[in-house]
């Protein structure tokens, strides 16, 4: 996709562009923003995201919800890898070219192996789609570069403050950004 040709001036203030590898990189670039109650994920739609009817393809909306919900779960569970077991998506309105889509989500419940998520995708203040997801936790929490051998933060760092392996250094504004190292969809 040639989504990089979008006019980034349509992105609201406070969002940072993240170019990711794999499938997330194909639909992006994605945008991230740290908010008081967690992370939000965004995507600026282009003509490449449209279906033959001229609106944003439902598969793109679902993929963005899945990625955002998975990344929110990953961060909420101490950076523990999750895979989607079930994703129920409800389309409520059409999204159009040039709109900035935003995903927010929350953990509804977590067990020792499953996490139940709720998510919402909006554009221009209107809810476009909602989702309910079940994700399976598949790995141990991811250690950050500042963690000691016992898994705790090194002196002077918080677990959330240290960058994960392969992530930007603490001097990089993207340090601590869950989108940068999310192993989930």
């Amino acid at each position: 996709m040639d989504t990089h040709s979008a006019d980034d001036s349509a992105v609201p203030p406070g969002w940072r562009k993240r170019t990711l590898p794999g499938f997330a990189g194909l639909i992006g670039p994605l945008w991230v923003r740290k908010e008081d109650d967690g992370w939000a994920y965004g995507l600026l739609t282009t003509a490449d995201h449209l279906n033959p009817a001229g609106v944003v393809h439902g598969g793109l909306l679902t993929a963005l919800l899945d990625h955002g919900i998975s990344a929110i779960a990953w961060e909420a569970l101490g950076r523990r890898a999750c895979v989607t077991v079930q994703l129920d998506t409800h389309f409520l309105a059409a999204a159009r070219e040039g709109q900035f889509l935003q995903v927010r989500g929350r953990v509804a419940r977590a067990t020792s192996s499953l996490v139940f998520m709720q998510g919402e995708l909006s554009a221009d203040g209107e809810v476009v789609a909602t989702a309910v997801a079940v994700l399976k936790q598949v790995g141990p929490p991811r250690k950050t570069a500042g963690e000691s051998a016992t898994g705790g933060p090194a002196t002077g760092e918080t677990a959330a403050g240290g960058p994960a392996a392969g992530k930007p250094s603490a001097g990089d504004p993207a340090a601590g950004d869950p989108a940068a190292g999310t192993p989930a969809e």
Side-chain angles (χ1 to χ4, degrees):
M1 281 189 186
D2 185 26
T3 58
H4 300 284
S5 61
D7 179 11
D8 291 351
S9 67
V11 176
W15 290 83
R16 291 183 315 215
K17 187 186 295 191
R18 299 299 301 165
T19 303
L20 301 173
F23 182 74
L26 293 175
I27 65 170
L30 297 179
W31 295 78
V32 296
R33 181 169 73 179
K34 178 71 172 131
E35 298 180 339
D36 291 338
D37 55 351
W39 289 90
Y41 296 86
L43 177 101
L44 183 59
T45 59
T46 69
D48 290 338
H49 297 121
L50 304 182
N51 65 20
V55 296
V56 175
H57 195 287
L60 181 274
L61 300 176
T62 301
L64 182 58
L65 274 163
D66 186 40
H67 178 80
I69 287 171
S70 295
I72 292 164
W74 177 77
E75 184 69 22
L77 297 171
R79 298 183 174 188
R80 188 169 177 190
C82 299
V83 294
T84 304
V85 174
Q86 180 176 342
L87 179 66
D88 297 325
T89 306
H90 300 268
F91 303 101
L92 307 173
R96 308 219 178 266
E97 180 180 356
Q99 287 186 304
F100 186 70
L101 305 178
Q102 301 179 29
V103 173
R104 290 175 180 79
R106 70 176 191 83
V107 175
R109 181 171 176 246
T111 69
S112 61
S113 63
L114 298 174
V115 59
F116 299 84
M117 300 291 298
Q118 296 176 339
E120 183 176 279
L121 186 150
S122 62
D124 301 326
E126 178 182 17
V127 177
V128 173
T130 61
V132 178
V134 179
L135 291 88
K136 178 152 181 65
Q137 301 176 49
V138 294
R142 194 168 178 178
K143 292 181 182 174
T144 62
E147 286 183 336
S148 68
T150 61
T155 305
E157 288 188 348
T158 64
K167 292 175 79 172
S169 68
D172 187 311
D177 173 2
T182 306
E185 290 87 46

